[in-house]
């Protein structure tokens, strides 16, 4: 599975970007929140990714924050919500706004997103209740590739995004990946 891409932005055509990673161009579908926060053409970017494999296509989805990717993965587990609808939801509202709408059970806010009808909004509120916390509105800031790798490793080891983000904040800015993982795990234990 492709978990992260770091490379140069070769093309931008909403909602898709083409990232050149050492001569290989990856087409990545991104939510508009990610699209607008990407640097310009020819500049380096790092995206956390989710690979969706279907019978007729392999589609790569990209996100600037771990929270967006985690929310996307949570959304696509819901019956009737596919990757395109999840991407539309994340384009129409931030992770924090979605968490707030779910905690306050406001279907009206979800219906405003194109492609989301009343029944789908009600299903989303029911399925996401208790799974999205308003804490998700505080994105984990990742200063460099090493910190992104450390965060990804901690999540892969079973720590939550929130725990991993808190551990990241305790690390020195110039720490290497392996030392950072060791220090973060020491902090978490």
């Amino acid at each position: 599975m492709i978990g992260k891409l770091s490379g140069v932005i070769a093309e931008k055509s909403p909602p898709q970007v083409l990232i050149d990673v050492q001569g290989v161009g990856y087409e990545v579908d991104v939510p508009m929140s990610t699209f607008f926060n990407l640097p310009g053409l020819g500049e380096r970017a790092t995206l956390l990714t989710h690979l969706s494999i279907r019978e007729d296509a392999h589609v790569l989805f990209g996100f600037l924050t771990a929270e967006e990717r985690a929310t996307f993965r949570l959304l696509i587990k819901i019956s009737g919500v596919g990757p395109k609808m999840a991407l539309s939801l994340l384009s129409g509202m931030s992770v924090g706004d979605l968490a707030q709408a779910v905690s306050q059970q406001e279907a009206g806010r979800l219906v405003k997103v194109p492609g989301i009808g009343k029944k789908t909004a009600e299903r989303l509120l029911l399925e996401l209740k208790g799974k999205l916390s308003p804490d998700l509105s505080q994105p984990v800031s990742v200063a460099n590739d090493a910190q992104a790798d450390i965060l990804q490793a901690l999540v892969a080891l079973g720590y939550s995004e929130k725990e991993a983000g808190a551990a990241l904040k305790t690390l020195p800015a110039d720490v290497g990946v392996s030392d950072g993982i060791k220090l973060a795990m020491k902090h978490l234990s």
Side-chain angles (χ1 to χ4, degrees):
M1 166 143 319
I2 300 170
K4 180 180 85 168
L5 290 176
S6 289
V8 175
I9 298 178
E11 290 178 27
K12 288 173 85 174
S13 176
Q16 197 172 72
V17 295
L18 181 70
I19 298 189
D20 184 329
V21 180
Q22 297 182 0
V24 178
Y26 291 91
E27 290 179 344
V28 185
D29 287 358
V30 296
M32 296 315 289
S33 54
T34 292
F35 188 87
F36 291 126
N37 288 310
L38 285 172
L41 295 177
E43 294 185 44
R44 291 195 59 77
T46 298
L47 290 175
L48 298 173
T49 60
H50 175 85
L51 179 62
S52 175
I53 299 175
R54 299 188 325 240
E55 233 177 79
D56 60 341
H58 292 205
V59 183
L60 200 56
F61 296 92
F63 310 92
L64 280 177
T65 66
E67 287 73 26
E68 274 189 330
R69 182 174 67 176
T71 304
F72 176 83
R73 288 177 170 169
L74 194 59
L75 288 168
I76 62 175
K77 289 180 183 176
I78 297 172
S79 174
V81 177
K84 294 290 183 187
M85 186 180 291
L87 201 64
S88 178
L89 252 170
L90 291 174
S91 292
M93 58 193 332
S94 71
V95 174
D97 289 344
L98 178 60
Q100 188 177 32
V102 169
S103 69
Q104 296 174 356
Q105 294 293 295
E106 295 181 79
R109 288 174 70 180
L110 299 178
V111 173
K112 292 179 183 175
V113 175
I116 306 293
K118 186 178 180 193
K119 287 188 179 190
T120 303
E122 289 170 355
R123 186 175 338 107
L124 285 166
L125 292 177
L126 181 67
E127 295 278 341
L128 293 174
K129 191 173 186 176
K131 293 181 182 175
L132 276 181
S133 70
D135 294 340
L136 285 176
S137 62
Q138 310 302 325
V140 176
S141 60
V142 178
N144 54 41
D145 285 348
Q147 284 193 345
D149 290 342
I150 294 167
L151 178 70
Q152 197 169 5
L154 292 173
V155 170
L157 289 170
Y159 294 102
S160 72
E161 302 273 344
K162 187 177 176 181
E163 292 170 326
L168 260 185
K169 291 177 184 174
T170 66
L171 301 178
D174 60 345
V175 70
V177 176
S178 61
D179 290 336
I181 293 170
K182 289 176 191 171
L183 289 170
M185 287 182 65
K186 190 178 285 186
H187 172 77
L188 288 166
S189 61

